[in-house]
Amino acid sequence: MAERGDREAFVTLATNDTYALGCLVLGNSLRQRAQTTRKLVVMITSGVTQPMRNQLSRVFDMIYDVNLLDSRDAANLQLLGRPDLSVTFTKLHCWRLTMFDKAVFLDADTLVLQNVDELFDREELSAAPDAGWPDCFNSGVFVFRPSEETYDSLLKFAMSQGSFDGGDQGLLNMYFRDWATKDIAKHLPFIYNVVSQAFYSYLPAFTQFKDFVKIVHFIGATKPWHHPYNTATKEVTPLPESGHNKDYLQIWWDIFMTLVQPTLDPSLREQMGGLVGELAALSLQSGVTCGGSQAHLSEQERKLNWERGQVDYLGADKFDNIKQKLDQSMKGPGTEGVDFSSTPFKGTSSSISISVSSKAKAPNPKK
Amino acid sequence: MAERGDREAFVTLATNDTYALGCLVLGNSLRQRAQTTRKLVVMITSGVTQPMRNQLSRVFDMIYDVNLLDSRDAANLQLLGRPDLSVTFTKLHCWRLTMFDKAVFLDADTLVLQNVDELFDREELSAAPDAGWPDCFNSGVFVFRPSEETYDSLLKFAMSQGSFDGGDQGLLNMYFRDWATKDIAKHLPFIYNVVSQAFYSYLPAFTQFKDFVKIVHFIGATKPWHHPYNTATKEVTPLPESGHNKDYLQIWWDIFMTLVQPTLDPSLREQMGGLVGELAALSLQSGVTCGGSQAHLSEQERKLNWERGQVDYLGADKFDNIKQKLDQSMKGPGTEGVDFSSTPFKGTSSSISISVSSKAKAPNPKK
């Protein structure tokens, strides 16, 4: 019989190469800093390129391809009529990782500071309160039991109820709706999902409890990788508009520069433009400040923010813009041919495949 | 034997005439809008004037004078060495209301939208999560059991531990420290203490749950009474920096203008300057916009904000300023003569007296 460490996994998700950088740092934080004994899984969509997939396989034990609108799903035809739900459904695929008895989902913009393997002693669905509306849990960190039955049930629920925030958090909070009132054991302490801006909203509590923080969550549109980093001083410059705590940003960048960036295939620089190429090229220069602009925010990143309920309500994501885009699309030659690539809703159709990385690092010995 | 409605009370606190306006609106929201069957108690300090005390007696069943450093407290001598705790202790006096079996404390900047008498079915200490650090409860709304023993115990605890946020919230969270992990029944749903800015931090959840909101809490330095109100249009103008929801501000002002302002003694206008006088005079004018500046924030209001953990860390309340003030005072002729009136720490010494208002309205018949 397999060891417990083999039947339990941390799971994350990358929908493009930039978020994959977040996954690489997260994976290293789990393995190197937190010394986990459990498996690491990254779910990826077709937005992740082959070179980046190779990078991910150096850190994660398993790469799990999820592509939306899998022909297996009985609900597919309905889904075709609900493009707005396809993004939400990406994360739900984690319930299909039935090779594991239990798993902990972590968003790509989280960072693990201390060992959190004790999370596997919790039951589904355990999660920490969301700082914005604390009777909802934040779906950036949660304990769950993979199950095809639960997956189907979630899908059906989504189809009939939708999601009040247009993302997985609204959906999961409605599905696991007794979380706020039923069982205190399913309330993960906030230290397992501390928003990096918490020091701003209640500084004394942050000061009191900061040494206990185990997982940091960089919510908001501006992620650690958008911050300016100086390769000479090895220091990150916090962007006031992001509100992220400098110490946490620095830990993210320290891990990135010591454990991720040196391993990045130099070809990424040529093959990929944008932020990923820029970060891959960093070592070739010295004393250079990299990053530092929200202009880096791609459509796909905006989509991810939308998914998290972090919607730019008055800007690009405002209702009028989205309605206009949908109206435009509806006038097109039919749903199949609709290009949602420039809206937050991008659906692709292919099958699901699993590939266990051959270069995965051996898990640490069990504690 | 007394009816249950007579043995249970809502309790609030005013430390000056401006906060007393908040208490008047809160009391009316409980009595008129929410139709409570329980008693209403307001605790006041010497910062509340006699004319305002008369006003409070029109709404509250009981006025409870609390003055710091009561000679009864065994711990007084120690307290004299800890002026920083005296503000914190004001709210703790609610535990001494032992003429009640159970009580619900409500900050003066809360507003009750629907009947919440079911709160008396909860046990001590029940409270809702604080949106800033949701493993702490917010001490603006809590259910408690008055008890001299608990009061003494809280006082001793405060003396030995202090408060991590310099206010009652930090102290109460340390004293009732198993709140986050022990009993889900002591987690009041967030709808019993919704920060008025919640729509900003997680709009979809606010939209989803706003019809269920029962108590609104106007946290932050800018209170409803600081907002401009136009007597011709009967509309309040939200101040962007306060972040308060306009609908809630409007409800506060509607109650103030219909139930409080018309009853204000016109003499308040002459006897009191500042915001209270201005609001008392409102009916004499027409089409006038009143209020609307944070410049109205008095030292005492700043003290209250401090008490709530809403400290202006970089401004007037910054450590250097406070240390300087304390140093200055320590050089004075002894603690008794120290004038803390211009610091957030004002200690006075007199005794506690209880006066049951003769003009208190008869409680509503039991439901």
Side-chain angles (χ1 to χ4, degrees), chain A residues 129-136 164-165 169-170 174 180-182 184 187 189-190 194 198 201-206 208-209 313, chain B residues 129-136 164-165 169-170 174 180-182 184 187 189-190 194 198 201-206 208-209 313:
Chain A
D130 185 271
W133 190 275
D135 272 7
C136 289
F164 70 76
D165 68 357
Q169 181 159 313
M174 286 293 105
T181 54
K182 194 173 173 195
I184 196 77
H187 281 223
F190 190 54
V194 172
S201 42
Y202 190 15
L203 177 59
F206 181 78
Q208 178 79 0
F209 302 116
Y313 291 101
Chain B
D130 185 272
W133 190 275
D135 272 7
C136 289
F164 71 77
D165 68 355
Q169 181 159 312
M174 286 294 105
T181 54
K182 194 171 173 196
I184 195 77
H187 281 223
F190 190 54
V194 172
S201 43
Y202 190 14
L203 178 57
F206 181 78
Q208 179 78 1
F209 302 115
Y313 291 102

Side-chain angles (χ1 to χ4, degrees), chain A residues 199-204, chain B residues 165-166 220-222 294 297-299 301-322 344-345:
Chain A
F199 71 98
Y200 181 74
S201 42
Y202 190 15
L203 177 59
Chain B
D165 68 355
T222 309
Q294 288 206 49
L297 286 180
S298 68
E299 281 300 319
E301 288 167 313
R302 201 159 59 74
K303 183 176 74 176
L304 260 280
N305 289 329
W306 171 284
E307 189 182 344
R308 280 175 184 74
Q310 290 149 15
V311 180
D312 182 11
Y313 291 102
L314 303 175
D317 299 327
K318 74 176 178 182
F319 183 75
D320 290 347
N321 289 349
I322 289 165
F345 320 126

